Amino acid sequence: MNSPEASSYDSPVGDLVQRLTQSFTSEHSRPPKWIVAAPGRVNLIGEHIDYNDGFVLPMAIERYVAIAAAPRNGSHPHVASIRSVNLNESDQIDLDLLPEPKLPPTWCAYMGGVFAGFRDRIGAEKFGQLPAMDLMFESNVPIGGGLSSSAALEVATATLLEVVSGTTLGLDEKALLCQKAEHDYAGVPCGIMDQFSSVFGQENAFMMLDCQSQQIRHVPFDSNGVSVLITNSNVKHELSGGEYAQRRAQCDSALKKLAAASWRDVTPSMLDSKKQSLTDVEYSRARHVVSEIERTQKAAVAIESGQWQALGELMYASHHSLQHDYEVSCCELDLLVELARGIGLAGGVYGSRMTGGGFGGCTVTLLDSEKVVEVSNHIQKQYKKQSGIDAHLFASLPAKGAHLISC
């Protein structure tokens, strides 16, 4: 396979795979023939600019979607029978008549979109040779937390189809296939960051992704003294009217009025000089995009030079922009960031910001490794006291991208 080499059970995904293997064997009276895994991601900085030709700086996290599968006993019906361990639900995909996109999407629709894209890629004849299969998947990527659980499911599905079909996709090709599945089958016009992170993730490195050229540069991260803490607010406000698509449309409208081919051509001075041609909302959205592109480039330099305080200030500035200019934060995310800021450098915290699409989900915090437990306890206690909600916190190192598990 043209993906990272296979890993064994004693890896960050090991416990998840062992549970899944036991569940699959118990339900189907035989062990799985194939097991694959794909990680979620957290974005350190560069939010809502992946679909605006910007730069993003995510890392794959040590939380995965794992899929176990085996050929079905007997060839009929020619389906992929799928069970979600987390949701305790089952569904199936007809391998001869793949589903059409429909909204609202189900978890099976995300997988169905990948199956459909894979058939288009390898051709109907070769796809028709896939065996009827039993699939079971389990995830420890928080759902609805802005950590790309859907992209992890899509990429894991594509990785499984590579193994089963004996087809090798280019890594960028696989990521784009999964992005298209999310566009067509989930109705989410996402950028390329989530799927690229899950495919290209490397241990001990952030991924600097140029979303205009799709070029990747891995930025080494010395994690001995500094850690990344992910805090799930455990809230997800429902977005009436499609806020994500609305933000994208506002950016497109602003860029058209600025008469620029790409946001990479828009400088802060150019934006200010043409402010009168934009609505107030368009100007605010544009100011976030232009400033976030600049912050992300500076962040990569700060990581490479170990300037953690400078990186932390960029993270705080990013959150402020997302809160006020892009308006995708919420009171719970703001509270978590302020709690981290209140601990400050004296307590080992360099910076914090919301991460993901917003309106709930997670924050990402950069801090001294020796302070992870102390900081986590403080944030968890104060967040519960002030919001009445239990937060879920975990630290993660940059993790390995999608891969086959050695059974």
Side-chain angles (χ1 to χ4, degrees), residues 237-244 246-247 359:
H237 299 289
E238 293 299 324
L239 310 184
S240 60
E243 297 282 353
Y244 187 102
Q246 183 185 65
R247 294 300 186 282
F359 304 100

Side-chain angles (χ1 to χ4, degrees), residues 75-136:
S75 59
H76 298 287
H78 191 210
V79 301
S81 178
I82 310 171
R83 182 165 183 79
S84 166
V85 173
N86 301 79
L87 299 176
N88 192 27
E89 294 178 358
S90 297
D91 208 332
Q92 66 180 29
I93 295 172
D94 188 330
L95 298 177
D96 296 323
L97 185 63
L98 292 177
E100 295 294 329
K102 60 180 180 180
L103 298 176
T106 64
W107 57 265
C108 193
Y110 288 88
M111 301 179 78
V114 177
F115 273 76
F118 205 85
R119 181 184 60 179
D120 291 342
R121 166 61 178 78
I122 69 174
E125 182 178 353
K126 186 174 182 180
F127 186 85
Q129 296 171 5
L130 294 179
M133 294 177 280
D134 288 314
L135 278 65
M136 181 180 290

Side-chain angles (χ1 to χ4, degrees), residues 233-309:
S233 67
N234 281 323
V235 299
K236 187 61 180 176
H237 299 289
E238 293 299 324
L239 310 184
S240 60
E243 297 282 353
Y244 187 102
Q246 183 185 65
R247 294 300 186 282
R248 187 163 187 167
Q250 290 163 345
C251 291
D252 290 345
S253 175
L255 186 63
K256 185 177 181 179
K257 290 181 180 180
L258 291 169
S262 166
W263 283 108
R264 298 278 281 280
D265 301 326
V266 181
T267 64
S269 59
M270 173 184 170
L271 176 60
D272 287 340
S273 69
K274 296 189 176 183
K275 181 178 180 180
Q276 298 303 317
S277 67
L278 305 178
T279 67
D280 289 344
V281 169
E282 288 171 340
Y283 176 74
S284 295
R285 306 297 187 252
R287 184 166 57 185
H288 168 74
V289 172
V290 173
S291 62
E292 189 79 347
I293 288 173
E294 181 179 8
R295 281 188 290 268
T296 306
Q297 293 174 288
K298 289 181 177 179
V301 174
I303 292 171
E304 290 172 320
S305 57
Q307 297 177 356
W308 307 124
Q309 185 174 349

Side-chain angles (χ1 to χ4, degrees), residues 184-246:
D184 295 346
Y185 280 75
V188 178
C190 61
I192 63 176
M193 174 176 62
D194 297 351
Q195 291 82 8
F196 268 64
S197 299
S198 191
V199 170
F200 284 95
Q202 286 188 5
E203 296 174 312
N204 301 315
F206 286 96
M207 184 184 77
M208 182 68 163
L209 172 61
D210 182 334
C211 297
Q212 184 179 53
S213 67
Q214 298 181 4
Q215 292 183 337
I216 291 173
R217 177 169 66 89
H218 285 98
V219 181
F221 176 57
D222 180 3
S223 57
N224 289 331
V226 180
S227 292
V228 176
L229 179 68
I230 300 161
T231 304
N232 190 344
S233 67
N234 281 323
V235 299
K236 187 61 180 176
H237 299 289
E238 293 299 324
L239 310 184
S240 60
E243 297 282 353
Y244 187 102
Q246 183 185 65

